[in-house]
Amino acid sequence: MSLASTLRARVPDRNLWIVYGTTWVLSTAYGLALATTPILLHERDFAYDEIGELAAFFGLGIVSFAIPSGTIIRRFSAQRTLAVGILGYAAMIGLFPFLTGFWEIALCRYLDGAFSVAVWVSCETLLLLRADPKHRAFSTSLYAIATALGY
């Protein structure tokens, strides 16, 4: 049995492959943002402690929306939450280079974290709902690989 046929047998749902592809692309964006954000802020004469504080706002957005994301998914669906999360993340990344003040950037980073966690929780929810129970560990491993390849 070839690798491709093994993958198709264990993960026959096309939607899961879309989740894996989306995860890889978004993880690549996350990795690029993680690497370039401090450089951009330093070039704009932000002090290292301010750069660290802005990173904390990103983390605060993640922590603040981790549990509410589940409630939002139950109310509106994982697909809708995923779409809004991706659009929100893209909006924050697109807006970020044009912001100059500390508090503007802090709000953007906070929302960036919130939209990011909406994407993660939505993808993981879709994965667990759609994966064959016999192959959930395998499906989850592919998700982890897609995430790691992006970062």
Side-chain angles (χ1 to χ4, degrees):
M1 185 178 261
S2 72
L3 177 62
S5 61
T6 299
L7 291 173
R8 274 193 301 274
R10 290 188 180 185
V11 186
D13 189 339
R14 180 179 173 274
N15 292 307
L16 291 181
W17 291 103
I18 292 170
V19 168
Y20 299 142
T22 301
T23 299
W24 176 70
V25 170
L26 278 169
S27 293
T28 301
Y30 294 151
L32 289 170
L34 251 129
T36 59
T37 297
I39 295 168
L40 176 70
L41 292 171
H42 183 67
E43 286 182 3
R44 291 187 178 177
D45 296 323
F46 280 88
Y48 288 119
D49 61 334
E50 291 174 314
I51 295 170
E53 290 168 4
L54 291 168
F57 276 96
F58 174 75
L60 184 61
I62 291 171
V63 170
S64 298
F65 281 87
I67 293 174
S69 289
T71 303
I72 292 166
I73 287 169
R74 281 190 296 280
R75 173 79 169 95
F76 298 105
S77 85
Q79 293 89 341
R80 286 186 181 126
T81 305
L82 177 59
V84 169
I86 290 171
L87 291 172
Y89 175 76
M92 293 305 103
I93 292 300
L95 184 63
F96 177 76
F98 301 103
L99 303 176
T100 56
F102 179 88
W103 290 109
E104 293 171 340
I105 295 171
L107 178 61
C108 181
R109 296 295 290 150
Y110 177 83
L111 293 172
D112 181 359
F115 287 124
S116 294
V117 81
V119 170
W120 300 332
V121 174
S122 297
C123 283
E124 291 161 9
T125 299
L126 288 168
L127 182 73
L128 293 173
L129 287 174
R130 299 189 69 98
D132 181 341
K134 294 183 295 189
H135 299 297
R136 276 198 183 132
F138 182 79
S139 296
T140 304
S141 295
L142 290 177
Y143 174 77
I145 289 168
T147 301
L149 286 173
Y151 277 98

